[in-house]
């Protein structure tokens, strides 16, 4: 073997994990076609506690409570519970005035969304009104069929359900349009593909539903910045998959300013990186030992790096393979093939995300900003997460507060 052949082999070894990650995304892309919505049960019988974890949300909490009060589901089968967690404003008062039950919580040490949810879940189970809990963020509007969609899955035997999580303000700026496409990829494409595979679609932190039975079996002891991913891993290890209610949605407000977006992305990416470090390879090892498709898929979801890193790795591999091929007279065939496969897979994944996002031609034009967005994401990764404590409330400034 020549020196250049060995270089090609080395490039292939380096590109193989990237190609596997891209292949996983390609598989989910090909399986992400829409399915017919299941017929909701009639009459509705499931009782829900809809929980809104809140920290200093006095400006928007009444709107969220009003939106949830208007869902198409019998009023006597649902309650709205706002957890005013370590608030220093009028969140509790505004929530009560809007018609919600309010749990006020002050704890200088145990602060954050994970602790607020654990507190509310324990209250719901002790009180005994509901069969299941639903989690909706304080800056969210939901589709009117949300509880019917959850009820249908619970009637079919599910214990964990995730609605589609989308963007409330996609046309606010190029940044929110790109975020809409990104969530189209991560939330719609990946979730639908995983649902068709019969594995867990994953939890997204907003628009989640859990039965009291599963909360009793798997207590919500998840307090990291990405408590949804953390709890989803615990559910999977206990043998429970999260079902995808694709016909219902929760829409959250995305920030338009770079400073707030930077803080938000650093927390999310930093949290997922920590989960990858702690759980990625152990999940893969256990999946192979137990021959579990559920754990195998979850390990892939955790181990596959953010899209920006995959794009950079694939582009770098393509450039290196092209350089080796030019210098050696065309011997880097295998590395070039792997790099080309990765680029094709990622292109289809992004285009599918754009298509399902519904942002139209303007969003497609905004993809021209994608290279800048990728560089920005990588800079955030290099810079590392902020200094906030584990699971601490770090409230993102709402758009209404910036006006």
């Amino acid at each position: 073997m020549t020196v250049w052949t060995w270089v090609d082999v080395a490039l292939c070894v380096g590109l193989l994990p990237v190609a596997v990650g891209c292949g996983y995304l390609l598989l989910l892309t090909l399986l992400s076609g829409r399915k017919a919505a299941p017929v909701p049960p009639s009459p509705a019988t499931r009782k829900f506690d809809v929980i809104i974890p809140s920290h200093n949300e006095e400006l928007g909490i009444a709107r969220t409570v009003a939106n949830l009060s208007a869902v198409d589901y019998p009023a006597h089968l649902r309650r709205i519970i706002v957890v005013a967690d370590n608030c220093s404003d009028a969140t509790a008062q505004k929530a009560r005035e809007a018609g919600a039950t309010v749990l006020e919580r002050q704890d200088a040490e145990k602060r954050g969304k994970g602790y607020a949810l654990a507190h509310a879940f324990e209250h719901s189970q002790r009180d005994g009104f509901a069969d299941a809990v639903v989690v909706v963020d304080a800056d969210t509007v939901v589709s009117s069929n949300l509880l019917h969609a959850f009820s249908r899955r619970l009637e079919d035997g599910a214990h964990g359900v995730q609605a589609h999580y989308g963007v409330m303000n996609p046309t606010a700026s190029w940044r929110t349009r790109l975020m809409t496409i990104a969530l189209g990829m991560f939330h719609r494409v990946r979730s639908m593909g995983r649902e068709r595979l019969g594995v867990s679609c994953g939890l997204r932190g907003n628009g989640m539903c859990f039965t009291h039975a599963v909360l009793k079996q798997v207590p919500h002891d998840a307090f990291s910045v990405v408590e949804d991913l953390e709890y989803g891993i615990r559910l999977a290890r206990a043998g429970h998959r999260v079902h995808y209610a694709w016909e219902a949605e929760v829409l959250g407000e995305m920030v338009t300013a770079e400073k707030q977006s930077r803080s938000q992305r650093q927390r999310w990416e930093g949290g997922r990186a920590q989960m990858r470090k702690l759980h990625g390879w152990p999940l893969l090892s256990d999946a192979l030992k137990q021959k579990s498709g559920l754990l195998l898929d979850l390990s892939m979801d955790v181990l596959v790096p953010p899209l920006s890193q995959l794009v950079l790795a694939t582009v770098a591999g393509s450039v290196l393979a092209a350089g080796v091929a030019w210098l050696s007279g065309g011997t880097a065939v295998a590395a070039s093939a792997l790099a080309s496969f990765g680029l094709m897979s990622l292109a289809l994944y992004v285009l599918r995300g754009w298509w399902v996002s519904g942002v139209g031609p303007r969003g497609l034009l905004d993809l021209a900003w994608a290279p800048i967005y990728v560089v920005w994401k990588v800079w955030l990764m290099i810079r590392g997460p902020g200094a906030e404590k584990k699971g601490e409330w770090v409230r993102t400034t709402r758009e209404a507060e910036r006006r």
Side-chain angles (χ1 to χ4, degrees):
M1 296 175 67
T2 66
V3 172
W4 291 114
T5 302
W6 282 111
V7 172
D8 186 29
V9 171
L11 273 176
C12 287
V13 171
L15 281 170
L16 187 58
V18 177
V20 171
C22 293
Y24 173 70
L25 297 182
L26 177 62
L27 173 63
L28 298 184
T29 300
L30 297 175
L31 294 174
S32 64
R34 288 188 65 85
K35 296 173 66 176
V39 178
S42 181
T45 57
R46 294 283 181 166
K47 292 183 178 181
F48 294 98
D49 275 337
V50 183
I51 294 167
I52 310 173
S54 306
H55 174 68
N56 291 345
E57 296 286 354
E58 64 178 359
L59 293 181
I61 193 65
R63 181 195 65 178
T64 303
V65 172
N67 171 253
L68 286 166
S69 299
V71 297
D72 179 22
Y73 202 77
H76 68 282
L77 297 179
R78 54 180 167 85
R79 292 190 308 186
I80 300 171
I81 299 176
V82 171
V83 187
D85 189 78
N86 289 280
C87 292
S88 58
D89 66 356
T91 296
Q93 176 188 340
K94 297 291 185 182
R96 286 193 185 96
E97 291 173 354
T101 298
V102 177
L103 304 178
E104 295 190 67
R105 181 178 177 275
Q106 293 290 334
D107 191 319
E109 295 298 322
K110 297 178 179 179
R111 299 167 55 90
K113 184 178 178 181
Y115 290 107
L117 289 179
H119 179 71
F121 293 168
E122 290 170 5
H123 171 85
S124 179
Q125 292 176 87
R126 285 196 311 268
D127 189 70
F129 166 80
D131 305 307
V133 295
V134 173
V135 178
V136 173
D137 283 349
D139 61 343
T140 298
V141 297
V142 309
S143 61
S144 63
N145 65 334
L146 182 72
L147 297 185
H148 269 303
F150 287 157
S151 181
R152 173 72 270 172
R153 270 45 176 219
L154 300 190
E155 290 294 321
D156 290 342
H159 287 280
V161 191
Q162 173 66 55
H164 173 63
Y165 180 14
V167 178
M168 185 196 307
N169 55 332
T171 61
S173 70
W174 68 268
R175 194 184 300 277
T176 59
R177 280 188 291 272
L178 280 185
M179 193 65 186
T180 305
I181 296 172
L183 294 192
M185 289 182 278
F186 196 79
H187 291 178
R188 180 80 75 182
V189 175
R190 290 171 75 152
S191 295
M192 185 60 79
R194 297 170 79 187
E195 178 71 14
R196 286 186 181 276
L197 287 172
V199 294
S200 181
C201 76
L203 294 172
R204 308 305 180 199
N206 193 4
M208 307 181 295
C209 175
F210 310 112
T211 63
H212 278 184
V214 82
L215 287 172
K216 184 177 181 180
Q217 180 188 353
V218 188
H220 190 273
D221 299 328
F223 308 115
S224 69
V225 175
V226 284
E227 82 291 327
D228 50 345
L229 177 60
E230 186 181 355
Y231 188 60
I233 292 172
R234 297 193 65 211
L235 285 177
R237 286 197 172 280
H240 298 287
R241 80 179 185 94
V242 178
H243 296 244
Y244 184 40
W246 60 88
E247 75 278 18
E249 63 182 3
V250 295
L251 302 177
E253 184 182 66
M254 299 298 158
V255 296
T256 59
E258 193 275 337
K259 181 180 179 180
Q260 285 75 32
S261 182
R262 178 176 70 237
S263 174
Q264 194 176 64
R265 297 307 304 179
Q266 281 181 307
R267 294 196 303 275
W268 289 349
E269 299 293 0
R272 285 193 66 88
Q274 185 68 14
M275 289 297 106
R276 190 178 305 121
K277 180 180 179 181
L278 291 175
H279 298 288
W281 295 111
L283 277 171
L284 180 58
S285 175
D286 290 344
L288 297 176
K289 290 176 182 176
Q290 300 173 28
K291 299 180 181 179
S292 169
L294 178 63
L295 293 183
L296 178 61
D297 168 80
L298 189 57
S299 70
M300 290 298 299
D301 182 65
V302 173
L303 286 170
V304 171
L307 182 61
S308 56
Q309 296 179 34
L310 269 182
V311 169
L312 279 181
T314 307
V315 170
S318 299
V319 171
L320 288 173
V324 171
W326 179 70
L327 291 171
S328 64
T331 60
V333 177
S336 297
L338 282 177
S340 298
F341 171 77
L343 290 174
M344 178 202 70
S345 300
L346 294 179
L348 290 175
Y349 177 57
V350 171
L351 287 175
R352 180 60 179 161
W354 162 74
W355 182 261
V356 302
S357 72
V359 294
R362 179 63 185 274
L364 191 61
L365 291 175
D366 283 327
L367 283 175
W369 290 95
I372 298 175
Y373 190 69
V374 168
V375 172
W376 176 72
K377 289 282 296 294
V378 172
W379 174 71
L380 292 183
M381 177 192 69
I382 295 173
R383 179 176 175 175
E388 60 265 13
K389 297 178 183 179
K390 176 183 177 181
E392 177 67 274
W393 283 111
V394 182
R395 186 178 175 279
T396 302
T397 302
R398 309 304 184 204
E399 289 300 297
E401 298 172 62
R402 298 180 58 248
R403 299 190 183 105

